[in-house]
Structure formats: structure tokens, C-alpha cells
Amino acid sequence: MKEKTFAFAVVALAATVALAAPKARRAAGGDDMVTQGRGAKVLIVQEPRLGQAACLTAPSVQGGSTVGQCYKKPRKWIVLETKYDTFGTETSKFLDQLTFTWHVLLDTKNATENKGNKEGLAPYSYFTTATTYVNIPAGSHAASVVLPPSCLERFGDPRAVGLEISNQNGEMLAGDCWSEVKGIAPHTKFWEDQKIMSAVTKEGTPMIERRQGLLDRSKTIWAIVFPNDYEQVAQ
């Protein structure tokens, strides 16, 4: 019932904030978003997965600790990844800088260890972070952020993910939003609509709680997985 209240409250609002940048176009013969900014082209070629498809068991490094193993059963992380192509400029095959800003909504009812939401948490949890890559050569690359197992266990799996890719001047070069949340349409900037972000249940409690913890993969065990696919993170 709470989810239905949220849907009716924002369904007319979500479509009002479209995720688009100047000179946006669709790739010939496909649905990938292509947006040309000043001096650079970026093409999103693989979208992040939603739901349980984004929940993965982390790689294990044995013998790295003097203490015993605490968890005998594997725990899953939320791993959000996109693949993208860059085309450089007329004068260089390198792009100086790209910033990936992520916006993630977790659905509490799908929490793996908080069945029935006995804590009375908000129906959705919102996480955001930005990662800046530097010296990006023309070619294919990956970008990824993750949430530790405790987030999946307590706050649920990802049901809406937004991504904005901008250059060093703050110009958005590419972006999109993928959503399975009722009332939040795909391709919309739900995180910029305060009527959505401040929506309340019929009891008057927040629908969305802002939380911290979304991490670039380079700060986690996932950094060891296909490291050549990821460019240098700005310090």
C-alpha cells in the first residue's frame, strides 16, 4: 500500500524532469544514448543492472588475515557498472577528465535480512556519489560503484539508477536513468525533483531516506577485478 501511495503521488511528476543534454541523439541502429559535448564524445554502451541481477558475491583473497573467517556463508554486494566508449578530440585521443555521478534508489521490501521491514525504515533509500577519471584514452572503458553487503541486507536491492557523465567544465556529455520504481519513469532526473525526493506516505513519513555509503569500486575488493577496464581515479 505504501508503494502504491508513492506511485500515485509522483507518477505525474517524474516525466517533467527529463534526463537530456544539449545535442543529444540516438545511435544509428540502436538505443544507446549518445551526447556530444564540447570537444568530446561519450557513448554509453551497457547500462547498469537493476534488482537481484546487480547483487554479486565478491572475489575472495585467501590468507590475507591472521584471524579466522567470520562469515561462512557468502554475502552479496550491490555492484552497479556501466560500459562506455570515448572518441577523443580532433587534437588528442585522450580526454582530460570525466566525472560519473551516480544516483541509486534501494527498495526496502527486497532487503535480504530485513524481511517485512521490521525496523520501519523508509520504503526507499537514496545513495549518491561521484567519481572522476583522468587521462581517458579513446576506446572502451567501464565505470562502477558498489554498496557493501550490509546495505543489501538492510535497505534492499537497486530499483532505480541514474547516471550523469560530465567533463571538467561541468558540461553533461551523456547520461540516463533506469527505473523499475512505480511513479518514477525511466530517463528522468528523479533526484532533482523535490516533490519526488520529499514525497511522504499516507501516514506522513518520508518515502525516501538519504543515506551514505556508495563507493567507487577502486576503494573496495572489486578493484582487483579486470583492473585494466577502469581508468585512473583522480586523487
Side-chain angles (χ1 to χ4, degrees):
M1 184 62 69
K2 289 183 179 180
E3 182 180 12
K4 188 176 295 185
T5 303
F6 180 55
F8 285 118
V10 303
V11 68
L13 300 172
T16 65
V17 188
L19 183 58
K23 303 181 182 177
R25 61 182 175 85
R26 291 284 175 179
D31 295 327
D32 299 323
M33 177 70 77
V34 181
T35 306
Q36 180 176 343
R38 297 178 185 174
K41 291 182 179 179
V42 177
L43 169 64
I44 295 175
V45 296
Q46 180 178 303
E47 62 190 54
R49 296 178 178 180
L50 299 177
Q52 287 297 308
C55 303
L56 305 174
T57 302
S60 178
V61 180
Q62 302 295 333
S65 175
T66 58
V67 299
Q69 183 180 5
C70 296
Y71 283 86
K72 303 301 182 183
K73 181 180 178 181
R75 302 173 75 192
K76 289 188 175 182
W77 294 59
I78 296 172
V79 182
L80 303 170
E81 180 180 75
T82 186
K83 288 185 171 62
Y84 65 100
D85 291 345
T86 58
F87 302 91
T89 68
E90 294 179 357
T91 58
S92 175
K93 68 174 292 185
F94 289 89
L95 302 182
D96 290 334
Q97 179 176 303
L98 288 175
T99 296
F100 287 67
T101 303
W102 296 82
H103 307 271
V104 181
L105 280 184
L106 304 188
D107 189 343
T108 306
K109 73 175 181 294
N110 296 317
T112 59
E113 300 294 334
N114 184 22
K115 303 296 185 181
N117 191 12
K118 296 179 180 179
E119 294 183 77
L121 301 174
Y124 296 92
S125 294
Y126 170 68
F127 297 80
T128 185
T129 194
T131 299
T132 297
Y133 301 99
V134 295
N135 304 320
I136 305 105
S140 298
H141 318 274
S144 177
V145 289
V146 302
L147 282 164
S150 57
C151 290
L152 172 62
E153 294 163 0
R154 189 180 188 188
F155 304 123
D157 61 14
R159 292 294 165 168
V161 175
L163 174 62
E164 296 175 296
I165 307 173
S166 57
N167 63 16
Q168 61 267 35
N169 299 319
E171 300 164 327
M172 195 173 84
L173 306 181
D176 210 338
C177 171
W178 304 269
S179 175
E180 295 178 348
V181 177
K182 294 180 180 179
I184 297 181
H187 318 302
T188 58
K189 293 185 178 184
F190 66 87
W191 55 92
E192 289 189 359
D193 193 321
Q194 289 305 308
K195 292 183 179 179
I196 292 176
M197 298 302 293
S198 301
V200 297
T201 67
K202 64 180 182 179
E203 292 83 13
T205 58
M207 288 295 303
I208 299 174
E209 184 77 19
R210 297 173 183 265
R211 305 190 190 280
Q212 297 181 345
L214 190 61
L215 301 170
D216 180 74
R217 72 186 298 278
S218 65
K219 300 178 180 179
T220 71
I221 187 64
W222 293 95
I224 68 174
V225 181
F226 299 121
N228 289 337
D229 289 350
Y230 300 82
E231 300 308 318
Q232 177 186 352
V233 176
Q235 300 301 314

